[in-house]
């Protein structure tokens, strides 16, 4: 990526880039659509021998010659298609490669985001130009192709995770998700549990089902669940209407520009006989009505870029793509096939109103390239899935957010930047958006931490990433949610936005062992069979021991007030206690607790309120008591608990809900 | 219908392998053959879980779930890129 390293404070490397060979022994495994190995992001110049612990390899196949494709950077490339073919029939090799080769682009994008090598002069048609690199540019990459044109099947995913763990990856990155199932029924959760046991951090995308509530996937507590935010870069385009009004949008269009004079503007809903013609779906526009015009299309149903092809096929010269209420003001830039710009809902409404009311509406579109320094940033992407956690409300998810909007990274040579078959353009890099893009940022950053602290457990790395994340801008205002324009909550951002430089030295961590996770399963009330299915072991929950989610040593707090369960006094006040243990991974220090909440109704007591650490590895336990009066069901409120020694801040979000 | 097959992931408790088997793989094969004449193993899992995946009818899946040592029979899930 060309901007996010700087956005994340990595431009000076801040000691995070291990130059020794030991740092390059970290392997990031990426389960996705495969790899396009010819691009420069997999260049292995300067890399030493493949780590001795590595047991993996590359699958040699018809269009993927392992000896050529793999090197000291790309050290693993396998594919898993048996489950896919069993369900969907044999792979049509004229359409997709039965090999690790990436026909889609998504897998090349995610793996290079996590750990791509430095590539000077990277850009997409000149947009976002700069030196591209992955977050852990010195780490090795192993790709496991599990996603095909028809989807990603759990039998293949599990087989790939099985192999990746055996191969010896240190971090697993999965930018995919399914529905919301119990952990023991969810292949990713099952695979991630075993990976965690072996010291592998598993980072997964939170999903793109936002901004609705409880839309998260990959919420198991042994997974790092990553939502998406914007960065300080934009690709502005300006729409000037015949009535003299100007509106701003975004675009990655590069090609022949529109004529200097204003062109006729038409709303797609007035250029169709179809009831949903406003969406510019294939075959719905009447060529006689759109030829030579700029067409205003509404977003939805079909891919954004496909609408451009539809307009072009009908003879349109340009397109304005308007968000609807679902997307609000969130702007996602696309490499459109014709001069086109995306605008937010409000501007779309204004342009539509003009197009429908003026007897001879006209417009022009001007493209302004790449702009950096955009503020405020980050803001939470509207598409980023949100909490609360529907599977285990007692665990706050997502864990954190990372850059996931308009991210430039490597791309497949087998497909154009729009991903559509009709796009004959080929580019080495592409700019796309999704929690798929934010997840590998965190995977790469986790690899950096693993390189710097090889002895840290996956839970310690995750804790470091979470407790050092920020939830305010430099001026102190809360991070914003673009879907509402209002401050984001922990249900949107979890602990906040990742800050890798601070994560390197978190001071304290909330560590978790396999036994802690088994205790968590007991707290869920899992039967011995369910625990066995989840953890591959014959384990019985100790009936004499009290297992509670509130004592699970998670780096964040979710406090569901349930009067019926916890009991309420005569005053109607409910009290919930959480216990946590902090481990010192830094220098000696005296840490003091401070708590802030968005409501005065909730009383929070931290005992003790001061913890003194004298040695590394020392552990101290504290209790937090949350007391609140009854609230209407569905209410929520938020807070933050911070331990600080004056040099480090160990920060945890708190979410209160009333059900 | 009852004869339609779909993919299931069958998980075993490795520690419960009967003494008559030397390798877990043989135990899995025998368990599968006990409920199906035609089903074939797609993958055998050894690291992140223990068991196999195969195309089964619902009846075969249910029968497998009742075999000793089987801790779960989970239908295939389709995931999507994010």
């Amino acid at each position: 990526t060309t901007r996010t390293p700087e956005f994340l404070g990595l431009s000076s490397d801040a000691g995070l880039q291990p130059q020794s060979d030991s740092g390059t022994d970290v392997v990031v495994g990426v389960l996705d659509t495969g790899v396009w190995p010819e691009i420069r992001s997999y260049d292995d110049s300067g890399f030493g021998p493949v780590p001795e612990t590595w047991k993996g390899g590359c699958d040699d196949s018809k269009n993927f010659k392992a000896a050529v494709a793999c090197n000291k950077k790309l050290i693993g490339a396998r594919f898993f298609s048996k489950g896919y073919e069993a369900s969907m029939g044999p792979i049509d090799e004229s359409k997709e490669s039965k090999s690790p080769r990436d026909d889609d682009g998504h897998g090349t994008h995610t793996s290079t985001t996590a750990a791509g090598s430095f590539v000077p002069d990277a850009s997409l048609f000149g947009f976002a130009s700069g030196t591209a690199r992955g977050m852990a540019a010195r780490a090795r990459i192993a790709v496991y192709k599990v996603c095909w044109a028809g989807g990603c099947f759990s039998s293949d995913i599990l087989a790939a995770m099985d192999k990746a763990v055996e191969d010896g990856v240190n971090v697993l990155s999965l930018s995919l998700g399914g529905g919301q199932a119990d952990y023991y029924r969810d292949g990713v959760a099952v695979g991630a549990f075993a990976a965690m046991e072996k010291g592998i951090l598993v980072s997964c995308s939170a999903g793109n089902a936002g901004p609705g509530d409880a839309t998260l996937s990959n919420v198991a507590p042994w997974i790092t669940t990553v939502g998406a935010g914007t960065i300080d870069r934009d690709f502005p385009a300006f729409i000037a209407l015949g009535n003299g009004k100007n509106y701003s949008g975004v675009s990655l269009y590069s090609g022949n520009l529109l004529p200097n004079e204003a062109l006729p503007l038409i709303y797609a809903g007035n250029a169709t006989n179809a009831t949903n013609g406003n969406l510019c779906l294939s075959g719905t526009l009447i060529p006689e009505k759109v030829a030579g015009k700029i067409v205003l299309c509404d977003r939805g149903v079909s891919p954004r870029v496909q609408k451009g092809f539809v307009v072009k096929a009908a003879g349109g010269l340009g397109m304005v793509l308007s968000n609807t209420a679902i997307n609000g003001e969130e702007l996602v830039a696309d490499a459109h096939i014709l001069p086109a710009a995306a605008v937010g809902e409000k501007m779309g409404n204004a342009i539509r109103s003009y197009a429908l009311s003026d007897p001879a509406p006209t417009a022009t579109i001007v493209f302004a390239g790449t702009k950096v320094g955009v503020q405020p940033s980050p803001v939470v992407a509207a598409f980023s899935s949100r909490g609360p956690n529907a599977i285990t409300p007692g665990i706050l998810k997502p864990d954190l957010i990372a850059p996931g909007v308009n991210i430039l990274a490597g791309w497949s040579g087998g497909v154009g930047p729009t991903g559509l078959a009709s796009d004959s353009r080929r580019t080495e890099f592409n700019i796309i958006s999704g929690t798929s893009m934010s997840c590998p940022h965190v995977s790469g950053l986790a690899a950096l931490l693993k390189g710097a602290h090889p002895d840290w457990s996956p839970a310690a790395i995750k804790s470091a990433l979470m407790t050092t994340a920020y939830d305010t801008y430099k001026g102190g205002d809360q991070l914003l949610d673009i879907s509402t324009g209002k401050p984001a909550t922990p249900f949107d951002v979890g602990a906040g936005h990742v800050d890798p430089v601070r994560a390197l030295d978190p001071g304290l961590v909330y560590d978790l062992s396999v036994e802690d996770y088994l205790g968590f399963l007991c707290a869920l009330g899992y039967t011995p069979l369910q625990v066995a299915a989840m953890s591959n072991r014959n384990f019985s929950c100790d009936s004499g021991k009290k297992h509670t989610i509130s004592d699970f040593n998670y780096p964040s707090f979710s406090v569901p007030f349930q009067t019926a369960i916890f009991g309420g006094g005569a005053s109607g006040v409910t009290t919930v206690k959480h216990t946590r243990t902090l481990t010192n991974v830094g220098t000696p220090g005296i840490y003091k607790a401070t708590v802030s909440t968005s409501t005065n109704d909730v009383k929070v007591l931290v005992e003790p309120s001061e913890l003194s650490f004298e040695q590394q590895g020392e552990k101290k336990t504290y209790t937090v008591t949350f007391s609140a009066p009854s609230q209407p069901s569905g209410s929520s409120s938020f807070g933050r608990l911070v331990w600080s020694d004056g040099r480090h801040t160990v920060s945890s979000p708190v979410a209160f809900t009333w059900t | 219908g009852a004869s339609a097959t779909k993919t299931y992931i069958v998980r075993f408790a490795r520690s419960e392998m009967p003494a008559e088997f030397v390798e877990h793989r043989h135990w899995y094969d025998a368990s599968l053959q006990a409920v199906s004449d035609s089903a074939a193993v797609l993958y055998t899992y050894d690291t992140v879980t223990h068991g196999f995946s195969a195309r089964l009818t619902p009846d075969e899946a249910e029968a497998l779930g009742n075999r000793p040592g089987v801790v779960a029979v989970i239908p295939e899930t389709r995931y999507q890129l994010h």
Side-chain angles (χ1 to χ4, degrees), chain B residues 38-68:
Chain B
S38 57
V41 168
L42 293 172
Y43 293 107
T44 300
Y45 305 108
D46 297 317
T47 309
V48 298
T49 191
H50 302 137
F52 63 84
S53 50
R55 300 285 290 179
L56 301 167
T57 66
D59 287 348
E60 290 167 346
E62 188 180 348
L64 253 179
N66 293 325
R67 298 279 304 170

Side-chain angles (χ1 to χ4, degrees), chain A residues 136-321:
Chain A
R138 299 283 295 160
R140 321 278 182 151
I141 296 173
V143 301
Y144 298 84
K145 182 173 174 179
V146 297
C147 292
W148 305 85
C152 328
F153 287 76
S154 57
S155 57
D156 293 328
I157 293 170
L158 212 48
M161 294 180 91
D162 213 59
K163 200 66 185 166
V165 170
E166 189 184 323
D167 286 347
V169 301
N170 302 108
V171 174
L172 271 174
S173 187
L174 287 83
S175 290
L176 50 85
Q180 298 179 330
D182 275 332
Y183 305 129
Y184 73 96
R185 302 179 69 86
D186 179 347
V188 169
V190 168
F193 191 98
M196 170 274 296
E197 274 190 278
K198 294 186 173 8
I200 300 163
L201 182 134
V202 182
S203 165
C204 292
S205 46
N208 301 337
D213 289 345
T215 46
L216 296 162
S217 54
N218 300 318
V219 295
W222 47 90
I223 289 172
T224 302
T225 313
V226 189
T230 63
I231 60 172
D232 65 340
R233 182 176 64 191
D234 216 340
F235 307 100
F238 302 100
I239 299 110
L241 302 183
N243 62 3
K245 292 192 174 171
N246 294 302
Y247 298 97
S248 59
V250 297
S251 181
L252 294 171
Y253 171 73
S254 174
N256 294 331
L257 298 176
L258 292 169
N260 284 334
E261 70 272 18
L263 293 172
L265 172 71
I266 187 167
Y267 177 51
N270 275 1
T272 180
N273 290 324
T275 52
N276 55 4
N278 60 313
L279 301 175
C280 294
L281 305 181
S282 188
T284 59
L285 294 179
I286 300 169
E288 294 76 26
K289 293 198 173 180
V290 303
K293 296 177 183 172
I294 293 174
V295 182
L296 174 64
C297 302
D298 290 331
R299 193 170 157 186
V301 181
S302 65
R304 299 181 301 274
V305 288
Q306 196 174 67
K307 296 174 192 292
F309 282 88
V310 172
V311 170
K312 189 175 185 183
L317 294 184
M319 177 177 74
V320 176
L321 182 58

